[in-house]
Structures are given as structure tokens and as C-alpha cells.
């Protein structure tokens, strides 16, 4: 019995060590995605109605773990035009209409599809990190392929929400879905 408990404790420690070793890599990955999100904000135009209740703030709402939230703090307060970025934890998926950008790191597919339906006509730039994200109704996927970030943009979803992404940025991306 003691050996079984010891084996369990060792397995838990090994598992925790694995998670701890992965955290810096995840933090670095999310920090890169945060910087890219800032640049997307700078190359995207929202209709004036998107800021009716936001004032001079551009809300970047996040759905993901604490590592994601901590990584995106690096862009909190940065300026995009005459607006200042505010990072918002949207883990509960409430009040998504307050978001100008919604970055989703992890959600079950059925919940993700419902979020796409709920935000489809809102001026909210939805962003994720999986190639299927844009193909399934999200707007921008930043996909890590062999250490390089590839951009996948669902242009039809972007247009349906009333947003405009700079043609310079579109040239760097793979366009998915209908144009």
C-alpha cells in the first residue's frame, strides 16, 4: 500500500513538473500571440457602433487559462490609434458584446460553435490558435507550424461582422472559407 501511495505521489510530482516545464513555453507562445493580436488591432477597422459603450478603450477579451491572461498583460494599456487596450477575462462567456477582440484559447467545440453564432453579427474580431478555428466560423487563426505562426483568415466572417482588415495584412494570410 505504501509503495502504491509512493508511486502515485511520484506520478503526481512528475506530472506537475511536466506542467511546470511546459508553462514557460506556453507563456512565450502566448506572448507572441499577444503581440500579433496587438498588430491585428492596429490593422483592423471597426464600425463606430463597436465603441458606443467603450469610450476610448479597445477591449481584448480572453478565454483561456492563467498563462494566457498573464501573457496578454504585456499589451494591456497599449495604444491602437486613439484607443487604449484593456484586457478583459471573459472566461464565463458573458457580455461578449463589450469585446472588440475575443481571443479564445480553449473551449469545447460545441461551445466554440455557439460563441461563433452569438458573435456572428457583432463587430467582434474572433481570434484563436487552431487551423480549424477559422474554418469553423472564427475570423483569425494564428497557427503555430514548426515554430512559425501562420495566419488563417475567414474573410466572409470578418465582412459579416462589419470589420475591415488591411489588405497588407490579408496578403500575409491564408484566406479560408468563402470570400
Amino acid at each position: 500500500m505504501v509503495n502504491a501511495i509512493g508511486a502515485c505521489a511520484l506520478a503526481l510530482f512528475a506530472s506537475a513538473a511536466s506542467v511546470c516545464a511546459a508553462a514557460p513555453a506556453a507563456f512565450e507562445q502566448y506572448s507572441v500571440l499577444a503581440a500579433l493580436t496587438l498588430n491585428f488591432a492596429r490593422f483592423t477597422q471597426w464600425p463606430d457602433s463597436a465603441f458606443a459603450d467603450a469610450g476610448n478603450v479597445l477591449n481584448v477579451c480572453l478565454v483561456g487559462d492563467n498563462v494566457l491572461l498573464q501573457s496578454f498583460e504585456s499589451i494591456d494599456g497599449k495604444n491602437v490609434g486613439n484607443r487604449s487596450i484593456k484586457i478583459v477575462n471573459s472566461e464565463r462567456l458573458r457580455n461578449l458584446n463589450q469585446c472588440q477582440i475575443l481571443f479564445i484559447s480553449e473551449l469545447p467545440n460545441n461551445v466554440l460553435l455557439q460563441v461563433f453564432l452569438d458573435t456572428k453579427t457583432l463587430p467582434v474580431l474572433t481570434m484563436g490558435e487552431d487551423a480549424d478555428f477559422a474554418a469553423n466560423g472564427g475570423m483569425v487563426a494564428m497557427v503555430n507550424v514548426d515554430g512559425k505562426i501562420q495566419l488563417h483568415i475567414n474573410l466572409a466572417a470578418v465582412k459579416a461582422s462589419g470589420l475591415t482588415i488591411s489588405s497588407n495584412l490579408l496578403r500575409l494570410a491564408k484566406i479560408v472559407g468563402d470570400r
Side-chain angles (χ1 to χ4, degrees):
M1 178 73 167
V2 173
N3 285 340
I5 292 173
C8 286
L10 185 59
L12 284 173
F13 178 76
S15 175
S18 170
V19 169
C20 291
F27 183 83
E28 184 176 323
Q29 167 85 12
Y30 285 136
S31 294
V32 170
L33 297 181
L36 289 170
T37 299
L38 173 62
N39 284 327
F40 257 93
R42 290 180 172 154
F43 287 94
T44 301
Q45 292 182 330
W46 283 263
D48 290 340
S49 63
F51 298 99
D53 297 328
N56 289 333
V57 173
L58 189 147
N59 290 315
V60 176
C61 302
L62 303 175
V63 177
D65 60 18
N66 286 336
V67 176
L68 174 75
L69 296 171
Q70 291 170 357
S71 300
F72 272 71
E73 286 178 6
S74 64
I75 65 169
D76 191 40
K78 298 279 185 183
N79 289 328
V80 175
N82 61 353
R83 302 186 193 288
S84 177
I85 287 182
K86 178 181 176 188
I87 300 299
V88 177
N89 181 353
S90 293
E91 188 65 35
R92 295 178 187 234
L93 299 173
R94 293 186 187 152
N95 302 321
L96 296 180
N97 59 345
Q98 72 174 338
C99 309
Q100 281 74 44
I101 295 177
L102 175 61
F103 187 94
I104 301 171
S105 172
E106 52 190 50
L107 275 180
N109 203 37
N110 61 331
V111 177
L112 184 62
L113 294 176
Q114 184 62 49
V115 169
F116 292 155
L117 286 173
D118 293 346
T119 59
K120 187 175 182 176
T121 58
L122 298 175
V124 177
L125 181 66
T126 56
M127 302 181 76
E129 55 186 319
D130 187 312
D132 291 338
F133 185 86
N136 289 335
M139 296 178 192
V140 176
M142 298 184 286
V143 183
N144 186 343
V145 178
D146 299 327
K148 296 181 179 179
I149 302 296
Q150 292 182 350
L151 303 175
H152 296 217
I153 297 177
N154 182 335
L155 198 52
V158 171
K159 288 179 180 176
S161 66
L163 304 178
T164 305
I165 294 177
S166 165
S167 60
N168 291 331
L169 192 53
L170 292 176
R171 274 186 244 148
L172 301 174
K174 176 181 177 184
I175 306 299
V176 299
D178 297 332
R179 291 178 177 244

